[in-house]
Amino acid sequence: MKRFILVVLMAAGLAAPNVFSQKFEGLAMTPPMGWNSWNKFACNVDEKLIRETADAMVSSGMKDAGYQYVVIDDCWHGERDAQGLIRPNAQRFPSGMKALGDYIHAKGLKFGIYSDAGWKTCGGHPGSRGHEYQDAQTYASWGVDYLKYDWCNTDGLKAEGAYATMREALRAAGRPIIFSICEWGDNKPWEWASNVGHLWRTTGDIYPCWDCEKNYGTWSAWGVMKIVDKQIPLRKYAGPGHWNDPDMMEVGNGLSNTEGRAHFSMWAMLAAPMMSGNDLRNMPAEIKAILTNKDVIAVGQDALGVEGFRAIEENGLETWLKPLNDGGWAVCFLNRADTAKTLDFSWKSQYMQDGLSNKELNAARDTYKIRDLWTGKDLGTTASNLKASIQSHDVLMLRLTR
Ligand code: GLA
């Protein structure tokens, strides 16, 4: 009978159903949180750094705040052995990756690694092209929980197929692994990747400046505000298990404290993956306070999983809204300008509606309590105007609750 059905399907021109052709479901139901080595350390990675970072993730309170994944980006690689199996760089990772994964897991954290769909990684190390199934099995045997998969040296490959191949390989290896697609938004992954990966980069690399473009000749890296702007048309594509990824964070990597706070707030408003990218071992108190703000994190991790949107834009002062699972809203006033802004905001005269989630913020009808998520103070209710001053390159981030 089964054979008969298959023959009928094939006769009808339909492909035989693929046993996998599904990513691992039930992972990344809220945006992944963790740390990635690239932004701060680039190719200077070794097992000492990774172990110390895992230690610091626990001792700093970041683990308690929700950070889980410790991800080694490019340059951990050695060469392939005679069977084609990838080995770590033996000088940098003398204890091997299984031992490193065990160390990370013993801390209650999860282990992430990096590869590339092409023949070489962006840093020139062996890529996974032609070794996808071997690599997926190797990663699974090391206890890997998260794979970031880059797009350098992929001439002639089609992104959708190349990423689907690695998805199949990960499925075949059998270990649930978050699959993080990193082709910089070049092939519009938001249109095809929701069943391929759990998150996809939407842009080229981030750069630790407020609103600059860092031109490298053949490509550019983008300041935090430039990245934010590129997310605006994409919100409808994200949701539980499939997130837009505006890149790892630069909090603690040279932005001012207000800029770091604004950057972090906006990643929460965008329901972005929150991968810290600084040196966790030497964090100034202000940086730690930003990265572990549980009220802001709760906005980013909200179970509704709807990205925020820009509702109002006026002379460099933007009002962003994000609907929340409890029926409330996160509201973020973002001052992009070089001077402070004063705010006299009439909630009652601003009716705001989100067509995507079908939620409305109608303060003329409903009264909300207001909490300032950076000071922790209650600011009364939406019955009266909100008066505030917002420094240049800073935010006022609020949670409105019925
Ligand atoms: C690309 C990615 C970065 C990083 C580097 C590593 O540029 O976009 O996030 O992984 O490669 O070489």
Side-chain angles (χ1 to χ4, degrees):
M1 186 63 176
K2 268 191 192 146
R3 177 180 278 175
F4 173 73
I5 293 173
L6 196 59
V7 169
V8 171
L9 281 173
M10 287 167 80
L14 299 170
N18 188 316
V19 268
F20 300 122
S21 65
Q22 282 280 335
K23 65 183 187 187
F24 275 104
E25 294 294 352
L27 299 178
M29 297 311 281
T30 60
M33 295 179 68
W35 173 89
N36 175 298
S37 54
W38 183 255
N39 284 357
K40 176 71 183 177
F41 298 98
C43 276
N44 296 315
V45 286
D46 58 29
E47 63 181 38
K48 181 166 176 286
L49 168 70
I50 303 304
R51 284 174 189 234
E52 288 175 358
T53 298
D55 295 346
M57 196 178 266
V58 176
S59 63
S60 65
M62 286 184 67
K63 180 187 173 215
D64 283 344
Y67 295 84
Q68 271 193 306
Y69 293 91
V70 178
V71 182
I72 315 173
D73 206 282
D74 205 349
C75 306
W76 58 264
H77 318 70
E79 295 304 323
R80 293 190 181 279
D81 70 11
Q83 280 77 45
L85 298 173
I86 187 69
R87 294 285 164 245
N89 178 310
Q91 277 78 50
R92 291 175 179 271
F93 296 90
S95 314
M97 292 314 215
K98 171 77 169 71
L100 190 52
D102 288 348
Y103 187 89
I104 291 169
H105 290 144
K107 302 247 144 199
L109 299 169
K110 294 189 163 175
F111 180 26
I113 211 165
Y114 162 103
S115 189
D116 187 292
W119 287 267
K120 283 186 178 215
T121 70
C122 298
H125 298 277
S128 288
R129 178 67 179 152
H131 295 273
E132 292 88 349
Y133 282 73
Q134 268 184 324
D135 284 358
Q137 268 175 15
T138 302
Y139 304 153
S141 76
W142 290 344
V144 165
D145 306 294
Y146 183 113
L147 174 65
K148 172 177 169 182
Y149 205 51
D150 215 339
W151 190 240
C152 279
N153 306 300
T154 51
D155 300 351
L157 296 186
K158 287 213 166 73
E160 187 172 351
Y163 282 97
T165 300
M166 190 42 124
R167 171 197 63 188
E168 299 300 300
L170 292 170
R171 282 300 299 245
R175 183 178 171 88
I177 291 181
I178 288 190
F179 191 30
S180 159
I181 293 173
C182 177
E183 54 72 82
W184 321 302
D186 284 3
N187 304 278
K188 299 197 169 86
W190 42 87
E191 290 180 355
W192 49 262
S194 71
N195 187 35
V196 178
H198 301 90
L199 60 158
W200 51 80
R201 281 273 297 277
T202 53
T203 71
D205 289 5
I206 196 169
Y207 192 78
C209 65
W210 181 247
D211 199 13
C212 71
E213 174 180 349
K214 171 83 177 163
N215 190 324
Y216 288 104
T218 51
W219 62 285
S220 285
W222 306 99
V224 174
M225 290 298 110
K226 294 262 188 303
I227 298 244
V228 165
D229 288 341
K230 292 173 195 289
Q231 311 312 308
I232 289 172
L234 303 179
R235 70 184 288 255
K236 69 176 179 201
Y237 298 103
H242 53 278
W243 306 102
N244 288 314
D245 174 9
D247 207 354
M248 291 98 61
M249 297 186 290
E250 293 282 17
V251 176
N253 285 343
L255 297 165
S256 72
N257 287 335
T258 62
E259 289 172 343
R261 177 164 69 195
H263 172 10
F264 193 70
S265 303
M266 288 309 298
W267 260 233
M269 294 300 288
L270 292 167
M274 284 184 154
M275 305 300 284
S276 51
N278 56 318
D279 188 346
L280 302 191
R281 303 166 305 173
N282 301 299
M283 271 194 286
E286 316 80 70
I287 299 301
K288 195 194 297 188
I290 293 172
L291 289 172
T292 58
N293 182 318
K294 291 184 183 170
D295 286 338
V296 175
I297 290 170
V299 169
Q301 293 289 301
D302 187 76
L304 192 62
V306 175
E307 268 188 39
F309 61 97
R310 187 168 68 188
I312 306 171
E313 182 188 14
E314 227 166 21
N315 299 326
L317 181 63
E318 301 182 355
T319 309
W320 286 74
L321 298 183
K322 181 181 195 285
L324 301 175
N325 200 38
D326 64 1
W329 291 83
V331 181
C332 187
F333 296 97
L334 169 66
N335 181 5
R336 297 174 66 141
D338 292 334
T339 52
K341 298 273 181 192
T342 49
L343 194 64
D344 185 357
F345 192 79
S346 164
W347 298 103
K348 287 180 158 181
S349 55
Q350 296 283 359
Y351 171 73
M352 291 180 277
Q353 199 185 21
D354 176 21
L356 182 65
S357 62
N358 220 1
K359 308 261 181 199
E360 58 175 6
L361 173 46
N362 182 348
R365 189 191 61 206
D366 308 320
T367 301
Y368 295 81
K369 285 185 288 218
I370 305 174
R371 182 177 159 84
D372 181 329
L373 301 188
W374 284 109
T375 63
K377 288 197 180 128
D378 290 331
L379 299 184
T381 74
T382 53
S384 16
N385 281 17
L386 175 74
K387 297 189 181 190
S389 170
I390 307 173
Q391 300 175 72
S392 161
H393 298 189
D394 198 0
V395 287
L396 176 62
M397 184 159 173
L398 310 173
R399 183 168 183 136
L400 269 50
T401 321
R402 289 286 302 280

